[in-house]
Structure formats: structure tokens, C-alpha cells
């Protein structure tokens, strides 16, 4: 769904029932680095929804303080710092 500013709602999900906290870090929504918390659902899935501008956005999933790319295969690329980041195209 696209809003008036051309942004699209994108929902990120991760099934980690034993996690205490799930965060997303990256340049999401603007040019500054941000951290966004996920909300835990009753079935053990964590979710967050962002409104993103069209383009490519890099992010990392942080589960209980440990960085990673979530569960399952990730589409991504190695960033300038040499760290593998997940990528979402909007």
C-alpha cells in the first residue's frame, strides 16, 4: 500500500519464540541510522511495520542482543563496514 508521500507499508516478521527482544537496525525511512523494536505476538512471531520510501534499504535483525539476518535465507549484501546486511527493495 502506498501513501500520499509515495511511501509503502512494509511488514517484517521473525519467528523467534524464545527471544526476549528483537530490534531492527539500519537506514530505514531516511538517511540516518535508526533502531526499531519489534512487537511479540502470541504465536512467538515478532513483527514491525515501517513506511519506507521507494528504493533499496539495508538492515540488520538483532535478537536478544545478537546481530544476525533472521531465520531462513536472506537477500543482502556486504556493506561498507564489511558486515553482511539484509536488503529490502521497496
Amino acid at each position: 500500500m502506498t501513501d500520499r508521500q509515495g511511501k509503502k507499508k512494509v511488514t517484517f516478521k521473525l519467528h523467534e519464540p524464545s527471544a526476549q527482544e528483537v530490534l531492527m537496525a539500519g537506514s530505514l525511512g531516511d538517511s540516518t541510522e535508526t533502531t526499531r523494536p519489534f512487537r511479540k505476538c502470541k504465536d512467538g512471531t515478532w513483527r514491525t511495520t515501517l513506511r519506507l520510501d521507494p528504493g533499496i534499504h539495508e538492515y540488520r535483525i538483532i535478537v536478544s542482543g545478537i546481530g544476525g539476518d533472521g531465520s531462513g535465507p536472506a537477500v543482502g549484501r556486504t556493506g561498507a563496514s564489511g558486515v553482511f546486511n539484509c536488503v529490502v527493495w521497496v
Side-chain angles (χ1 to χ4, degrees), residues 1-3 7-12 49-52 90:
M1 176 181 226
T2 304
D3 67 13
K7 295 185 178 192
K8 289 182 93 173
K9 279 188 176 182
V10 180
T11 299
F12 297 86
T49 300
L50 301 170
R51 290 178 28 190
L52 299 175
V90 178

Side-chain angles (χ1 to χ4, degrees), residues 74-85:
V75 175
R77 63 183 176 195
T78 302
S81 64
V83 176
F84 181 81
N85 291 320

